[in-house]
Every structure is written in structure tokens, then in C-alpha cells.
Amino acid sequence: MDKTLHLAIFGFAFVVGIGPAMSQSADEPTRDLLASQIRDQGFTCDKPKGAEREVKESKPNETVWILTCENDTYRMTVIPDMAAKVEKLKK
């Protein structure tokens, strides 16, 4: 998928409120989109296991997620129309 289209779809999901309102069973698209974005930015995320939104850390237009992958865990700050801020967390 074209990176620009991918980011547009990802941003649209959050603008319309799909991301924060997802149930556990619908979490897979969020987890997979975050994993794809992190890989596009040069990080490794083999087999994403989960994505949890950090409500207290998030701000308007800055959604913070903890992305758990098979190999690592990351804190991602997703900002519309920008690359995510990524911090690798210690296991």
C-alpha cells in the first residue's frame, strides 16, 4: 500500500474516533496499522501482539500508544500528518 495512502487511512481512523473506541476484538486493525507505521520508520515489529492507548499521556492531536511486538515494546506518539515519535521500552 502506498505510504501516503496508508498514513491517510490511519489518520482518518483517529479523526473520526475509530481508534479510541475500538473493542478488544476490533483491536487488530489498530495494532496492525501501528506496527506498519513503526516498520516504515525503520523499527522492527515482528508479529504485533497488542496496542494499548495511554489515555493520560495523550493530548489533543497526539495519541500515545504502547505497541507490543514479538521482539520489542514501543511507546508511540501518533501526530496527524507527521512521523510518530517512537521510544523503545525496556523489556
Side-chain angles (χ1 to χ4, degrees), residues 50-66:
E52 184 176 330
R53 185 172 179 223
E54 289 197 314
V55 177
K56 291 182 181 180
E57 299 294 324
S58 297
K59 303 175 191 173
N61 293 321
E62 291 187 17
T63 307
V64 180
W65 293 90
I66 300 297

Side-chain angles (χ1 to χ4, degrees), residues 28-43:
E28 291 176 0
T30 299
R31 167 180 76 203
D32 293 337
L33 284 171
L34 291 170
S36 179
Q37 183 172 0
I38 209 167
R39 286 190 295 265
D40 287 346
Q41 289 183 227
F43 294 89

Side-chain angles (χ1 to χ4, degrees), residues 10 21 34 42 49 52-53 59 65-66 70 79-80 82 86 91:
F10 184 73
L34 291 170
K49 294 183 175 184
E52 184 176 330
R53 185 172 179 223
K59 303 175 191 173
W65 293 90
I66 300 297
E70 183 177 64
I79 304 168
M82 295 181 67
V86 180
K91 283 192 168 186

